[in-house]
Amino acid sequence: QVQLVESGGGLVQAGGSLRLSCAASGRSFSRYAMAWFRQAPGKEREFVSAIKWSGGNTYYTDSVKGRFTISSDNAKNTVYLQMNSLKPEDTAVYYCAAGDTIVTVTSGRGYWGQGTQVTVSS
């Protein structure tokens, strides 16, 4: 059974940085795609970023391009989301997701973590 555990959330001032981690376990992830989503209060869950575990292309929603960076550490089975120049509108619960393809994971199907809260104060 796949398990995804997020960490690294917290409270930060606008302009600050946080790095989220997603530790994956339960199967081989060498062919998987991983993604980050977020859900702000009163809003639907939205796609943030994705990466193929084997490396290569990365994907970002327009609002985070140039500020967020997704990466993976295959040896640690961990995916990261480095978030810089944070804005109050980045405040949300951030979720890690895993799927067998980029299309699967970015469409919201596959496995999910429990989420980690990110709060950006103005």
Side-chain angles (χ1 to χ4, degrees):
Q1 183 174 349
V2 172
Q3 287 189 321
L4 304 173
V5 179
E6 302 98 330
S7 61
L11 173 64
V12 64
Q13 289 187 333
S17 299
L18 284 174
R19 189 178 77 158
L20 305 183
S21 300
C22 173
S25 62
R27 64 179 303 162
S28 172
F29 290 92
S30 62
R31 296 183 179 182
Y32 263 49
M34 305 293 293
W36 289 94
F37 287 74
R38 65 186 180 187
Q39 187 167 21
K43 295 187 177 181
E44 294 187 352
R45 189 174 299 187
E46 67 169 347
F47 166 77
V48 176
S49 183
I51 187 170
K52 289 185 68 174
W53 200 278
S54 59
N57 292 342
T58 56
Y59 307 84
Y60 299 93
T61 192
D62 286 345
S63 62
V64 307
K65 284 181 181 177
R67 300 189 298 124
F68 290 11
T69 303
I70 191 170
S71 62
S72 63
D73 185 331
N74 293 355
K76 295 183 178 180
N77 265 10
T78 300
V79 174
Y80 303 99
L81 185 68
Q82 177 67 43
M83 307 186 294
N84 299 329
S85 302
L86 283 162
K87 305 175 181 179
E89 51 264 44
D90 294 318
T91 295
V93 177
Y94 283 69
Y95 297 90
C96 177
D100 54 357
T101 67
I102 286 289
V103 171
T104 298
V105 71
T106 57
S107 64
R109 294 175 281 154
Y111 303 96
W112 292 90
Q114 82 290 348
T116 185
Q117 176 70 47
V118 171
T119 303
V120 184
S121 63
S122 57

